[in-house]
Amino acid sequence: TTFADYGRGVSLSYEVQTHPDVVDLLICLALAAASSARKEDVFDPFPVDYLEQQGNTNVKLWDRLKDDFSNLPCVADMRAAGGESELMDLLGMVQYRLLRWLVPAIGCAFCGCRKGISCKGSAQRTNTSCSVRHPRKRRRSSS
């Protein structure tokens, strides 16, 4: 039984244990996107824990986000932590919530769905349909 079976989203420790290279890649890509000059265009959606209400607008706390990504322990240390509560203790609540926000992308971005092939990502594990927008081949006009 997994977190997803109970409607609680992904188990971060499960994803770290089974997909450590992908978790590491997601962290690296997120940090690069948050550090990019094009961050407003490429870092979307934005984690709500890093929004601050100032008047009528939400201000994105980019420096805090980059610091939290930069200060994450290495994935090997996360794997060694073991279960969910031990991982939460290692990370602290702020970084744990950040990774819980980031890691569900594994199931969507790397599910491997293609026309005629069943989904092998978290969509299959959670009995939901895949939300990845797969490119369609254009049909050549017969004229």
Side-chain angles (χ1 to χ4, degrees), residues 89-119:
D89 290 342
L90 173 69
L91 296 172
M93 187 53 70
V94 172
Q95 289 180 322
Y96 177 80
R97 285 178 51 92
L98 178 59
L99 284 185
R100 283 285 309 246
W101 172 85
L102 179 68
V103 168
I106 290 174
C108 294
F110 300 102
C111 74
C113 289
R114 294 295 177 260
K115 187 175 181 178
I117 300 173
S118 64
C119 181

Side-chain angles (χ1 to χ4, degrees), residues 10-60:
V10 300
S11 161
L12 187 54
S13 64
Y14 172 83
E15 298 298 342
V16 167
Q17 295 296 326
T18 57
H19 305 290
D21 293 338
V22 178
V23 171
D24 191 43
L25 177 64
L26 285 172
I27 293 168
C28 291
L29 290 173
L31 180 57
S35 303
S36 168
R38 297 183 54 233
K39 61 188 170 200
E40 292 289 344
D41 296 325
V42 297
F43 203 101
D44 185 36
F46 195 82
V48 295
D49 289 349
Y50 295 85
L51 292 173
E52 183 177 274
Q53 186 75 29
Q54 291 183 1
N56 292 333
T57 60
N58 284 324
V59 175
K60 295 177 180 178

Side-chain angles (χ1 to χ4, degrees), residues 58-127:
N58 284 324
V59 175
K60 295 177 180 178
L61 304 174
W62 290 106
D63 290 335
R64 194 175 125 217
L65 178 67
K66 290 187 292 187
D67 286 346
D68 285 346
F69 274 127
S70 296
N71 293 319
L72 283 168
C74 69
V75 174
D77 290 346
M78 290 186 225
R79 288 186 81 194
E84 203 73 21
S85 61
E86 294 85 1
L87 184 58
M88 192 183 307
D89 290 342
L90 173 69
L91 296 172
M93 187 53 70
V94 172
Q95 289 180 322
Y96 177 80
R97 285 178 51 92
L98 178 59
L99 284 185
R100 283 285 309 246
W101 172 85
L102 179 68
V103 168
I106 290 174
C108 294
F110 300 102
C111 74
C113 289
R114 294 295 177 260
K115 187 175 181 178
I117 300 173
S118 64
C119 181
K120 296 183 183 359
S122 65
Q124 185 180 42
R125 289 194 302 270
T126 60
N127 297 321

